[in-house]
Every structure is written in structure tokens, then in C-alpha cells.
């Protein structure tokens, strides 16, 4: 575990993740205090990436739980192996079922338990993990309530079996895109960090890491253009992920610098709503490109 | 690293108290966590110090700005006994015109001054009325226009409204619960039950889908032309918000305010007092297009998930001549499962959608209903629990008429 905020920053940077001071501090505190970290922010700002980077940097296995509406215990935490249980019951019958209590103890043993992501993340028999609970806002409220025990005490209580607690606390990263408000009870158990769109300098650094082949001029112009577009009144602002995709798209088209034609043709990589594309592609496109070139030259 | 010394711990505690008074939910748990957090960082670096306290003490993005303001005030001069000087600094920060100081700084200033004085309540004669109405009185109230009601009638109507329940058409979820007549068998419960009979499976346990009402979003116009209706409908919104979960309420005139949290207060008067404190545009004009654009941009993705039903309460009279209304009402319609427009003007038989706003909005709503008296509210409730009509069907009524 890193011993200071600077070391945490170095750990993230070592894996190619460019984080600002606030995010680095929050990650460091989550590691140092052993608390879950709730990351909220617009899609495509690198929330999920943090968990991956931490797993790689700390040399831990990554356990990922993608949330969706209707996610329940049997998909998220554990399930009993019914086929095996039925088999054991049959075997018990042929052997002569003299001891019913023993049977129920047998078939609710650890061997019959199928571990799903949450259980696997705190399983004492496995090496310590980084647990990523991705897009918690997509799950429904009952699932949040179920998470509370895990987030507070890093343990799971299975009625038939007992409590399974982590020997070494997993690093827990919870992400949310805010399609629904996460309940206060979950928030209180986590450290909180809002992940914003990066500023131009940080976005250039990210692009350098993620698209190393690209020319300095083009990457500066791409970042300046995206930053300019984020000032425009559109429905869905492009995230960092879109910036990286767009850089790849322009490289694939052998562009050396931004040209209004190529920009107009590839806007679908950057913007995902027709209204937004029409809005940007309109009369102002040439001006946005010119602004971006000015900003890139200044940077 | 180092143990925070006594003064620092004291100051963290005072800072927590300041945040609490400014309205952030900062409890002892956060204060303790903050003290712990400071052990893990280099407190000599101000930005790290601030980021650390923020990560621990703030749980919502909305509170961030308030926190940052409080931080810069308090830790500029982190001596609890010198609050006064911080407060003086605060005065200088206020915008010269004073009319629109940042809401956060005003709240912090109030918190630092620790004044208990709340804005005076509106002068209202104390209401004493008999809650047990006679039948004929109730009858009269049912069909009386909200606009024509006296203060006493309104008070009675509010009592009736508080009793209304809103049974939305239930949505099937992907969750299952035990049920003897369920559609799916449950192996887990079957095996557990078989333990009673020594492993012999006697009956199959079954489970059924959980159904629950969809989220409800109320967008209510509080402009001058809607003032009387808004007053009553706000009571309706209050009783609905307290009756069930997943209700969001927004008020709009020239700007949009989310009042969901305030409305959750059980006491209607307390809730309305809090709302009138935060809503700046009572009884002004309306800019529906702009307000819907803001809703679509900032809120639709956060509150319209899981098949939400939207109640849009407005008379459709737009100050800006319906600028930007078309595309925004269309987007709102696409982002929700059912869009119902409640319009008090519909009470007149001769009403037809002639205004610019109404013409633009009508093709994009699923239902168009009056809300001007208790009877219309009740018929709204009946229709909400029925299956929704085909999408965009509201305009057909007008097409057939003409």
C-alpha cells in the first residue's frame, strides 16, 4: 500500500492513469483508511478505469460486478449449488437417512456454495482483491440495502451458513453515472469523489498515454476542440473515452491536423445524439475548429 | 503519519459544526473520519488537506460548492474564537447588488452568524374549521374551481387532497418473491423446505414477480397565471411524495427548482416554508422551453429511469413565445414512458389548443387532462391506475373534433 498521497499518485501514473490532486487524495484515503470509494461523474471520465489501474498497480485480482436492474443475491453474492444439493440428498437417502440434522448441515456446507463476485471478493481463501461495483445506479434500491453490510464490515451473512468475513479488506470502488440517486446510507459508508472532465493539460497527458502514436500538434488540437465543445450547450458532453476514440478515428483517416471536413465526418465518434451533432455541425463548426487551433497553439 | 494535535482536532470539530449549520449532513461519524483521514496525509499542503476533508465529509456533488466556500472561509483563519472576522470577510464577498448573492454564501453567512431568525411567514389568518364536512359541503367542494375557492375552501380541499392516494399502473420488476401461486418454481426454497422432511421433496415452492409502481416525476408551473392551482397542486405533490418512494417534484417559472427533498418533510407547512425559501420565481412569468431544456440536460437522466411517468402541470402560456419548446418537449416525451399534461384551462368546454405553447406541446403528450377541481384530480388518479393509452394519443381528441 502506498504510504503517502504522492506515492498513490505515482502508483496511478505508473499504470498510465493521469489523476488530479483531489482524486489522488481520495484514492489514497480510501486505501489508507480501508473505506470504500464512491466515484460519481459523467460517463466516460475514467471512473471504472481507476479500479482496473489499482488492481494492476497493487498486484491484486480485480473482481468486477456490473450492476443492472433486478440484480439479486444469486447473481451478485452467492448461490447454492442446487444440483449438487439434490444429488447429496439422494445419496443420503440410499445410505439410509438416519440423521436429518447432519444432512441439512452437509448440504449447506462451503462445498455447496457457488461464489459470485461479492463473495469472491471477500473470500478468505483467495488472495486480496480490488472489488469494482460498476454503475450502482443501474441496480435497484433493494440491492443497495443489501450492499450495506459488505461496505461497512466487508462481510456477508448467509442465513444457512453463517458469516464470511474478509481476512484482508478488499479495496472497494463503487461507481455511479447518476441515472438515479444513490441512497444516503450507501454514501455515508463510502468516501466520495466527483470525477469531472479533465482540464486541457490533463486531457493532453491522458491522450499521450492512451494514443502514443499521434502527433503532438494533432493531439493538442483534438483536446482543444473537445474542450471547446464542452462549452457548447449540448445534451451529452463528450467524455475522455470519446476523446481517445476520436483521436484513433482521426489517425485512422491519416489526418495530420484538424480540418473542418474531417471533423464533420467523424463527429459521430464524439457525440452520440443527433441533436448534438446537428448543433455542432451547423454554422459554428468552422469557428470551433479555428478556436481549437488557436488554443492548441497557445498551449 | 503524525497524530493531529489537540488544536487541529478541535478545529476540525468546529469546522464540522459550521458545515452542519450551513445545512450539510455532517455527523459525528464524519468528524471522526476526518480526524482519521488527517493522519494519512501531509496536512502542510492546503489542496491535499482540502481534498481529504472533502472526500470524507461531503457525500453529494451538490454539496461540494458549499463545502469549498466554507473551507476557504474557515481555514483562512482557523480559530473558532475569531468567527467574527471571518464573517466580516464574508460581507465583503457579497455581490454589490445584494439581490442574487450565491445561495451557498448566504447560507454560510447565516450559519456563521448563527441567527435563528427565519424569514417571517406570510400573514395568514388562523384557520379554524370543522374537519368533518357535511355531505353537501363535500359535494360542493368536489366541483368547485380551485381559483374560485375561498381560503377556507382551500383549507378543506387540502384536507381532502391529503387523503388521495395515487395508484400508478404497476410495473413488473426482475425481482421474485415467494408465492404459493407464482409462475416460477424456486429450487432454493424447495430444498430448504425438504429439510423438514428429511430430504424428501413433498411440495415445490414457487415464486412470483415483484411488481411495483414506476417512478413519478411532477413538473409544476408556478407562474402568475397558475398561482392558485399551483398552491393546491403542491399539496397534492406533498401528499404523493410522502405516500410513496421514487417521486421527484420540480417547480418552474422562469427557472427550474428541484424541491423533492423539501417536500419529503411530513409537515406540509414546514415543507412549504422550506420551498418558498429556495424557489426564487413564484408568480412570475414562464419560460417553458428553457426550463424543459434545463430539465432534460440536468435531470432527465437522473430521475426518468425505470419507466417513469411524468406529470407536466402547466397552462402552456409561455412568455418567450415557445422558443425551444418543440424539441425539448419531444425529448422529454422520448425519455419517459408516459407523459401526462395537466392543464387547468381545459376546464372550459370551449378550450382548444390555440396558444403557441399548447399547439407545440400537444402532439408530444400521451394524455391531456384538466386539473381545476377535486373531481378532476380524482379522475386523474383513476386514469393513472389504468393501462396507459397509446403514445402521443392526446392530440387525437382535437383532430376528431375539428
Amino acid at each position: 500500500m502506498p504510504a503517502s498521497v504522492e506515492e498513490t499518485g505515482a502508483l496511478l501514473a505508473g499504470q498510465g492513469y493521469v489523476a488530479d490532486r483531489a482524486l489522488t487524495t481520495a484514492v489514497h484515503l480510501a486505501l489508507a483508511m480501508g473505506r470504500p470509494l464512491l466515484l460519481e461523474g459523467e460517463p466516460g471520465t475514467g471512473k471504472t478505469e481507476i479500479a482496473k489501474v489499482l488492481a494492476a498497480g497493487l498486484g491484486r485480482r480485480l473482481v468486477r460486478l456490473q450492476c443492472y436492474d433486478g440484480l439479486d443475491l444469486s447473481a451478485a453474492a452467492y448461490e447454492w449449488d442446487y444440483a449438487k444439493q439434490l444429488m447429496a440428498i439422494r445419496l443420503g437417502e440410499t445410505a439410509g437417512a438416519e440423521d436429518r440434522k447432519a444432512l441439512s448441515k452437509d448440504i449447506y456446507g462451503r462445498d455447496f456454495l457457488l461464489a459470485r463476485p461479492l463473495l469472491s471478493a471477500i473470500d478468505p481463501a483467495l488472495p486480496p482483491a480490488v472489488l469494482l461495483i460498476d454503475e450502482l445506479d443501474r441496480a435497484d434500491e433493494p440491492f443497495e440495502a443489501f450492499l450495506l453490510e459488505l461496505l461497512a464490515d466487508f462481510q456477508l451473512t448467509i442465513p444457512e451458513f453463517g458469516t464470511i468475513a474478509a481476512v484482508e479488506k478488499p479495496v472497494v470502488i463503487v461507481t455511479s453515472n447518476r441515472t438515479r440517486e444513490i441512497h444516503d446510507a450507501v454514501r455515508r459508508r463510502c468516501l466520495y469523489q466527483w470525477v469531472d472532465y479533465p482540464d486541457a493539460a490533463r486531457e493532453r497527458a491522458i491522450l499521450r498515454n492512451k494514443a502514443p502514436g499521434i502527433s503532438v500538434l494533432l493531439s493538442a488540437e483534438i483536446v482543444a476542440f473537445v474542450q471547446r465543445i464542452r462549452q457548447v450547450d449540448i445534451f451529452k458532453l463528450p467524455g475522455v473515452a470519446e476523446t481517445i476514440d476520436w483521436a484513433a478515428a482521426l489517425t485512422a483517416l491519416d489526418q495530420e491536423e484538424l480540418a473542418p471536413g474531417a471533423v464533420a465526418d467523424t463527429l459521430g465518434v464524439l457525440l452520440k445524439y443527433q441533436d448534438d451533432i446537428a448543433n455542432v455541425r451547423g454554422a459554428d463548426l468552422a469557428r470551433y475548429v479555428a478556436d481549437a487551433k488557436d488554443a492548441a497553439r497557445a498551449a | 503519519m503524525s497524530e493531529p494535535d489537540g488544536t487541529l482536532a478541535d478545529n476540525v470539530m468546529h469546522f464540522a459544526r459550521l458545515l452542519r449549520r450551513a445545512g450539510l449532513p455532517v455527523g459525528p461519524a464524519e468528524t471522526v473520519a476526518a480526524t482519521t483521514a488527517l493522519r494519512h496525509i501531509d496536512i502542510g499542503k492546503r489542496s491535499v488537506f482540502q481534498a481529504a476533508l472533502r472526500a470524507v465529509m461531503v457525500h453529494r456533488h451538490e454539496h461540494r460548492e458549499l463545502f469549498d466556500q466554507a473551507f476557504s472561509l474557515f481555514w483562512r483563519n482557523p480559530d473558532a474564537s475569531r468567527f467574527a472576522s471571518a464573517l466580516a470577510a464574508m460581507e465583503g464577498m457579497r455581490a454589490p447588488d445584494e439581490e442574487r448573492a450565491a445561495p451557498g454564501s448566504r447560507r454560510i453567512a447565516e450559519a456563521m452568524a448563527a441567527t435563528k431568525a427565519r424569514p417571517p411567514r406570510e400573514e395568514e389568518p388562523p384557520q379554524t374549521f370543522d374537519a368533518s364536512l357535511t355531505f353537501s359541503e363535500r359535494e360542493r367542494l368536489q366541483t368547485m374551481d380551485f381559483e374560485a375557492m375561498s381560503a377556507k375552501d382551500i383549507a378543506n380541499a387540502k384536507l381532502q387532497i391529503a387523503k388521495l392516494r395515487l395508484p400508478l399502473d404497476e410495473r413488473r420488476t426482475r425481482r421474485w418473491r415467494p408465492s404459493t401461486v407464482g409462475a416460477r418454481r424456486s429450487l432454493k426454497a424447495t430444498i430448504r423446505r425438504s429439510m423438514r422432511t428429511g430430504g424428501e421433496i413433498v411440495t415445490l415452492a414457487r415464486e412470483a414477480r415483484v411488481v411495483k409502481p414506476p417512478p413519478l416525476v411532477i413538473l409544476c408551473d408556478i407562474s402568475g397565471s397558475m398561482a392558485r392551482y399551483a398552491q393546491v397542486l403542491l399539496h397534492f405533490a406533498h401528499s404523493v411524495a410522502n405516500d410513496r418512494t421514487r417521486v421527484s417534484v420540480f417547480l418552474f417559472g422562469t427557472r427550474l427548482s428541484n424541491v423533492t427533498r423539501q417536500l419529503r418533510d411530513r409537515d406540509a407547512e414546514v415543507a412549504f416554508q422550506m420551498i418558498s425559501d429556495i424557489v426564487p420565481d413564484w408568480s412570475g412569468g414562464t419560460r417553458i422551453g428553457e426550463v424543459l431544456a434545463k430539465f432534460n440536460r440536468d435531470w432527465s437522466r437522473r430521475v426518468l429511469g425505470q419507466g417513469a411517468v411524468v406529470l407536466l402541470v402547466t397552462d402552456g402560456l409561455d412568455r418567450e413565445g415557445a422558443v425551444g419548446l418543440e424539441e425539448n418537449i419531444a425529448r422529454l416525451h422520448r425519455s419517459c414512458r408516459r407523459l401526462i399534461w395537466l392543464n387547468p384551462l381545459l376546464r372550459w368546454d370551449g378550450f382548444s389548443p390555440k396558444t403557441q405553447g399548447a399547439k407545440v406541446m400537444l402532439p408530444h403528450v400521451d394524455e391531456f387532462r384538466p386539473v381545476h377541481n377535486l373531481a378532476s384530480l380524482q379522475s386523474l388518479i383513476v386514469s393513472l391506475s389504468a393501462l396507459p393509452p397509446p403514445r402521443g394519443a392526446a392530440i387525437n381528441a382535437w383532430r376528431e373534433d375539428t
Side-chain angles (χ1 to χ4, degrees), chain B residues 84-137:
Chain B
S85 65
L87 196 61
M90 190 82 223
E91 293 296 330
M93 268 175 50
R94 271 192 203 167
D97 63 357
E98 178 62 31
E99 206 208 342
R100 289 232 63 83
S105 70
R106 184 175 60 82
R107 274 163 67 191
I108 294 171
E110 280 169 8
M112 286 190 117
T115 48
K116 287 275 187 279
R118 307 199 105 212
R121 294 201 173 187
E122 273 180 45
E123 277 305 308
E124 250 186 294
Q127 297 286 339
T128 49
F129 48 80
D130 187 2
S132 60
L133 299 177
T134 61
F135 179 77
S136 62
E137 242 178 309

Side-chain angles (χ1 to χ4, degrees), chain A residues 3-6 21-22 25-26 28-29 32-33 35 38 40 42 68-73 78 80 82 85-86 89-90 93 97 100 103-104 107-108 137-143 160 177-184 187-194 196 233-236 273 275-276, chain B residues 1 25 29-30 32-34 36-38 40-42 45 47-49 51-56 58-62 64 173-176 184 187-189 191-201 212 245-246 261 293 296-306 327 331 334-335:
Chain A
S4 70
V5 178
E6 286 72 23
R21 178 64 74 76
T25 308
H28 174 68
L29 284 178
M33 295 166 74
R35 295 267 296 265
L38 170 60
E40 265 192 330
E42 299 298 327
Y68 54 85
D69 193 7
L71 178 64
D72 60 4
L73 278 189
Y78 66 89
W80 292 106
Y82 305 124
Q85 282 180 323
L86 286 172
I89 292 173
R90 286 285 155 259
E93 271 169 9
R100 290 178 185 182
L103 177 64
S104 98
I107 70 162
Y108 287 117
D137 50 330
R138 287 182 184 274
D140 48 7
E141 293 90 349
F143 181 71
E160 299 91 346
N177 288 335
R178 290 216 296 186
T179 60
R180 179 174 68 75
E181 291 294 342
I182 304 297
H183 197 274
D184 284 352
R187 292 174 184 275
R188 281 195 25 244
R189 284 163 176 80
C190 299
L191 303 186
Y192 177 82
Q193 180 65 36
W194 173 262
D196 221 333
D233 182 23
I234 51 180
F235 185 61
K236 170 70 187 82
Y273 285 86
D275 303 357
D276 290 350
Chain B
M1 287 198 198
E30 279 79 10
V32 172
T36 319
L38 294 185
H40 297 288
I41 60 156
D42 175 9
K45 289 208 182 83
S47 62
V48 172
F49 183 61
L53 285 185
R54 188 168 57 213
V56 173
V58 174
H59 303 300
R60 287 182 175 275
H61 184 49
E62 297 87 294
R64 182 181 173 148
T173 66
R174 297 191 51 198
R175 243 167 235 296
W176 298 79
R184 194 167 90 164
L187 267 178
K188 185 177 184 180
I191 291 176
R192 194 182 317 168
R193 198 183 285 176
S194 77
M195 288 300 98
R196 286 185 220 147
T197 47
E200 196 66 53
I201 294 173
K212 64 176 178 183
T245 56
R246 305 207 289 173
R261 287 218 161 210
N296 282 335
R297 202 173 49 237
D298 297 348
W299 292 100
S300 64
R301 280 172 285 221
R302 294 168 66 180
V303 296
L304 291 184
Q306 290 124 22
E327 54 263 36
R331 167 158 279 155
R334 285 197 301 269
S335 345

Side-chain angles (χ1 to χ4, degrees), chain B residues 216-229:
Chain B
L216 176 72
V217 176
I218 304 179
L219 288 162
C220 186
D221 187 342
I222 50 165
S223 61
S225 53
M226 288 284 295
R228 206 55 184 274
Y229 301 104

Side-chain angles (χ1 to χ4, degrees), chain B residues 274-398:
Chain B
M274 286 193 286
I275 289 173
S276 67
D277 285 352
I278 63 161
V279 175
D281 51 351
W282 283 103
S283 304
T286 332
R287 280 200 283 256
I288 308 181
E290 201 175 292
V291 162
L292 287 184
K294 185 160 173 55
F295 176 81
N296 282 335
R297 202 173 49 237
D298 297 348
W299 292 100
S300 64
R301 280 172 285 221
R302 294 168 66 180
V303 296
L304 291 184
Q306 290 124 22
V309 173
V310 177
L311 294 181
L312 177 62
V313 189
T314 176
D315 51 15
L317 302 177
D318 189 50
R319 190 161 83 175
E320 301 286 303
V323 173
L325 188 53
E326 170 100 57
E327 54 263 36
N328 284 302
I329 188 88
R331 167 158 279 155
L332 178 64
H333 186 222
R334 285 197 301 269
S335 345
C336 67
R337 192 173 55 90
R338 195 173 175 191
L339 175 59
I340 302 170
W341 180 9
L342 304 178
N343 187 347
L345 294 182
L346 197 54
R347 69 186 179 282
W348 287 304
D349 294 335
F351 175 84
S352 68
K354 290 251 172 60
T355 66
Q356 230 170 348
K359 261 190 224 159
V360 167
M361 285 164 69
L362 207 46
H364 299 289
V365 298
D366 301 320
E367 277 169 83
F368 187 42
R369 325 193 115 264
V371 265
H372 59 284
N373 57 20
L374 285 175
S376 63
L377 263 186
Q378 266 151 6
S379 76
L380 163 72
I381 285 170
V382 171
S383 97
L384 279 178
S385 54
L387 280 178
R391 300 226 67 185
I395 198 167
N396 294 343
W398 305 99

